[in-house]
Amino acid sequence: MKNLPTKVAGGCFSFFILHSSFADTVTNTPLTVPPFPEAGVSLVRVTGALALVLGLFLGGVWLFKNWQRLTLPRHQPPKLNILETRSLGARQAIFVVAYEQQRFLVATTPTGINLLSHLPDAEPMEPTAAEKPAAPMPFAQALAQVLKGK
């Protein structure tokens, strides 16, 4: 090594010393690797995290789509209703439209919507017997009725 220039020899020698001291420390100390968690536990954690993220996402989508339902009062019936519709031909129709107690006859054509006339105001009606839902029949009576039919 004395024949080599001092700069190169000193650099190689210091590298050799560093390398040998590093090799000594690596070979003398045992390597400790942290144990891997069990596969079942890891799978449960990943599945749970995925379910949580998907649940939060789907909940956010549902809230985004239905936020108006949550803010509007539920006990009020709609004020604007279409009571009847009749088609008069291709792309032409006539409607009876109600807003609260007022009623209007409206026609639609490809060129627009026209008010034909005001109709008499509707009277508040109570449901007739035909419109009221029938009271549920007791099971024994319904069974007897079915058996008599056979």
Side-chain angles (χ1 to χ4, degrees):
M1 272 195 167
K2 292 194 181 204
N3 293 340
L4 293 174
T6 57
K7 194 172 192 182
V8 174
C12 289
F13 184 68
S14 63
F15 173 74
F16 178 73
I17 292 173
L18 288 175
H19 179 67
S20 66
S21 66
F22 179 72
D24 289 340
T25 58
V26 170
T27 56
N28 291 340
T29 59
L31 292 176
T32 57
V33 178
F36 287 111
E38 295 181 23
V41 174
S42 295
L43 184 63
V44 168
R45 287 180 64 197
V46 168
T47 305
L50 179 65
L52 178 68
V53 168
L54 286 177
L56 287 173
F57 175 74
L58 293 176
V61 168
W62 185 87
L63 279 175
F64 181 74
K65 284 188 170 187
N66 298 309
W67 69 271
Q68 289 180 345
R69 250 194 248 172
L70 300 174
T71 59
L72 293 176
R74 297 181 189 182
H75 62 278
Q76 294 180 350
K79 294 180 180 181
L80 182 66
N81 292 314
I82 296 177
L83 301 178
E84 280 191 58
T85 304
R86 294 285 184 248
S87 176
L88 299 176
R91 299 174 59 193
Q92 297 174 348
I94 192 168
F95 298 92
V96 176
V97 179
Y99 182 78
E100 293 183 348
Q101 298 300 318
Q102 300 175 3
R103 296 186 307 169
F104 307 99
L105 188 61
V106 178
T108 60
T109 62
T111 58
I113 300 172
N114 298 318
L115 174 65
L116 297 179
S117 72
H118 291 276
L119 298 175
D121 290 347
E123 296 177 14
M125 297 186 311
E126 293 186 23
T128 62
E131 294 175 357
K132 288 184 182 178
M137 190 181 301
F139 179 73
Q141 187 179 3
L143 182 61
Q145 203 173 37
V146 169
L147 292 176
K148 284 182 187 177
K150 287 187 176 181

